[in-house]
Every structure is written in C-alpha cells, then in structure tokens.
Amino acid sequence: MFKSAIEKAVVDVLDTGSKLQAPAVRRYVAYLRERHPGENPAQIVARLEKQYLLAVTGSGAAVGATAAVPGIGTVAALGAVGAETAFFMEASALFTLARAYVHGIEPEDKEARRAMVLAVVLGDTGMAIVQKGLRTSSKNWAGALAGKVPGLGAINSSLLQQFIKRFITKRAALMAGKILPAGIGAAIGGAGNRALGKVTIENARKAFGPAPALWATPLHNVIDADPLPALDAAPVTKQ
C-alpha cells in the first residue's frame, strides 16, 4: 500500500510541478519581497527555506495526529498518507523552483522543471544524472536547464527510477511510524518530515550555491509584469 501511495504521489507532483510555471514562481518570490522590502536575495532565500520547512513539518505532524483519534484514527491516517506525501513533494517543487528563480534561473520547459526538482530532491545522485545527461561536468547544470535542452525525456526517466527507489526506502519506515496511535505518529511524522526537508534544503544550497548579492530585477518591474494576487490568495506555503 505504501509503495502504491508513493508512486501515485510521484505522478501527482510531477503533474503539479509542470503547472508551476515561471509567472507563478515569480509572484511567489515577489510577494515575499513586497512583504519584506529592502531584504537582499540571501535573506529571501532564508525565508523560503523557513516556510518550506514549516510547511513539510506541519503536514507530517498533522497526518500523524490523525492516528490519535479513537476508533478511526489509524484508518484515517492510512488514507491521508498518500495526500501528505504528494503535499511534501509539491512543496519541494515550489521551493526548488523559487530558489532557482532567485538565482535568475527560470526553466520554461516542463521537462526541465521536472528534472530540476527531481535532481534537487535526490541530491548528489540526481545532480550526477543530469550532468551526465547534459554531458557536462559543470556545477552549473541547473543554469543549463533554463534553455532548450534535448534528451530531457531520457534524463527524467532515469531520475524518476532513482527517485521512486530511494523515496520508498527513506519514507516507508516514516510512513509506518506516522500511523501509530496515541499521538506517537504526530511526533514521528513531524520530526521525520523536518529531517527530509532539511536534506532538500541542503541539496538546493549545493545545487544553486550562495544567493546573488543583489536582485537582478527591481521589484516594481516584476510586479508590473506579473501583478501580485490579493493577500489571501498569495501562493505562500502552509505554516
């Protein structure tokens, strides 16, 4: 059951990731810049990391807490595992693409966005697959994905195979722990997701390097191109 839930979550997040196009990501980062005027790229990156970590930690704890409900908790938690896994990956996709945007990297092609997200979540293994597929030893593989890249279908196929294999290994025990009753699942779910979130953050730091010193585009130019949504509709992650 866990394997099928994870595989479905992988497909769901890839579909969602393909919809996270450049304008939506730009609006997300612009929203943070507008709320915190004067902050440099490194400070906004820190906010992206904090929001992402709060989001995935909260979702893990919420699923675990479901198991504490007498009589129906464990059954409900099992049903929620697939949805929570999808949320974890969707949050990872938004975080990765927003992090890339701060560096001026905006993949327009859906295959390029998928490759970037999967490579960051996988870490060294994923980055090596992309570098090999692009036939480059350059650490700027993420920047290369911003342009037209042939053969991304094959690269994504390799990434997805590795992702499912590793994701199942890392999350199977965590998912089992989340459905434990008496509140134990909430603690395991929150701590486990927080640990996985920290790994993704470290992978992103390795993939993109230090944030640029200055913004390449003034905030008013970004807002003029992609008007910000209303405050209650802003694409912020759950906290």
Side-chain angles (χ1 to χ4, degrees), residues 59-139:
S59 68
V63 171
T66 306
V69 179
I72 64 169
T74 301
V75 175
L78 281 170
V81 160
E84 185 274 329
T85 300
F87 174 77
F88 178 90
M89 288 307 303
E90 288 166 7
S92 298
L94 178 58
F95 165 71
T96 298
L97 295 173
R99 185 77 159 81
Y101 172 70
V102 172
H103 291 260
I105 302 172
E106 297 183 78
E108 296 292 341
D109 183 78
K110 67 178 181 180
E111 293 286 350
R113 290 193 293 272
R114 291 177 179 180
M116 183 176 291
V117 172
L118 286 172
V120 168
V121 173
L122 278 170
D124 289 338
T125 299
M127 297 175 204
I129 289 174
V130 175
Q131 288 179 359
K132 182 178 179 181
L134 297 177
R135 297 180 181 179
T136 177
S137 59
S138 171
K139 293 184 178 180

Side-chain angles (χ1 to χ4, degrees), residues 38-232:
E39 289 195 349
N40 61 34
Q43 291 171 308
I44 294 299
V45 164
R47 291 189 182 279
L48 289 171
E49 292 177 346
K50 181 179 179 180
Q51 286 199 355
Y52 167 67
L53 203 57
L54 285 172
V56 296
T57 300
S59 68
V63 171
T66 306
V69 179
I72 64 169
T74 301
V75 175
L78 281 170
V81 160
E84 185 274 329
T85 300
F87 174 77
F88 178 90
M89 288 307 303
E90 288 166 7
S92 298
L94 178 58
F95 165 71
T96 298
L97 295 173
R99 185 77 159 81
Y101 172 70
V102 172
H103 291 260
I105 302 172
E106 297 183 78
E108 296 292 341
D109 183 78
K110 67 178 181 180
E111 293 286 350
R113 290 193 293 272
R114 291 177 179 180
M116 183 176 291
V117 172
L118 286 172
V120 168
V121 173
L122 278 170
D124 289 338
T125 299
M127 297 175 204
I129 289 174
V130 175
Q131 288 179 359
K132 182 178 179 181
L134 297 177
R135 297 180 181 179
T136 177
S137 59
S138 171
K139 293 184 178 180
N140 191 32
W141 60 268
L145 291 176
K148 295 292 183 181
V149 181
L152 276 178
I155 294 175
N156 275 335
S157 178
S158 296
L159 287 169
L160 184 57
Q161 290 176 14
Q162 282 294 320
F163 176 78
I164 292 177
K165 178 182 177 181
R166 293 196 171 206
F167 200 66
I168 289 174
T169 301
K170 289 182 178 180
R171 288 189 68 94
L174 175 58
M175 286 181 168
K178 286 179 182 179
I179 65 173
L180 293 175
I184 300 175
I188 293 176
N193 268 17
R194 183 176 180 83
L196 292 176
K198 285 185 174 181
V199 170
T200 302
I201 288 173
E202 287 301 318
N203 290 344
R205 290 173 179 173
K206 184 180 297 185
F208 302 112
L214 301 172
W215 293 104
T217 305
L219 180 58
H220 63 83
N221 287 355
V222 178
I223 295 176
D224 289 343
D226 297 298
L228 293 178
L231 181 61
D232 60 355

